[in-house]
Amino acid sequence: MMDELTLDEAMEELVSAEDFLNYFGIEYDLSVVHVNRLHILQRYHDYLGKAALPEPEDERRVIYTTLLTQAYQDFVKSDALTEKVFKVFHMHEPQVKFVPISSITVNKKDAA
């Protein structure tokens, strides 16, 4: 059934990392996908967002396959904590905030 759909139609129907990997014919280790499925899909989304996508469907299919393979391989070679795909992984990194001295005040009631 998926073979009858255009690339754009198929992309709308795919929901899981396994769906995408199977559709594009990419061999994968289920244990890697099981632990990293959301990370793989987010990385794939990020790669697609940066890619220049050509109009012809066959050329886009090649790029989609290449970028999905790259996203999957990122997590074969590394792990979610190292790759830090989601914002939550950046929350515990040192945060730098500038507070001008003029904005610091002393509450006299608390100072006594």
Side-chain angles (χ1 to χ4, degrees), residues 8-111:
D8 291 333
E9 290 169 341
M11 291 293 284
E12 289 181 19
E13 296 293 319
L14 303 171
V15 291
S16 70
E18 292 90 342
D19 287 350
F20 280 90
L21 291 162
N22 288 329
Y23 179 76
F24 288 107
I26 299 167
E27 290 186 30
Y28 61 92
D29 179 340
L30 189 55
S31 64
V32 172
V33 175
H34 181 71
V35 174
N36 298 295
R37 65 174 33 95
L38 295 177
H39 303 278
I40 292 167
L41 289 176
Q42 183 62 50
R43 178 62 57 87
Y44 182 46
H45 176 265
D46 294 346
Y47 285 157
L48 286 173
K50 295 175 185 174
L53 299 173
E55 242 344 275
E57 185 173 297
D58 58 332
E59 292 177 29
R60 268 188 298 130
R61 183 179 300 276
V62 170
I63 291 172
Y64 286 172
T65 304
T66 301
L67 295 178
L68 181 57
T69 302
Q70 184 178 347
Y72 167 72
Q73 286 299 322
D74 288 348
F75 294 94
V76 169
K77 298 173 185 168
S78 188
D79 59 38
L81 191 58
T82 304
E83 294 298 316
K84 298 183 180 184
V85 173
F86 292 104
K87 182 180 177 183
V88 68
F89 289 108
H90 298 279
M91 292 173 67
H92 296 294
E93 293 179 353
Q95 303 295 314
V96 178
K97 300 287 182 195
F98 177 76
V99 179
I101 192 100
S102 61
S103 71
I104 300 174
T105 60
V106 176
N107 186 335
K108 296 195 187 266
K109 185 172 92 175
D110 293 336

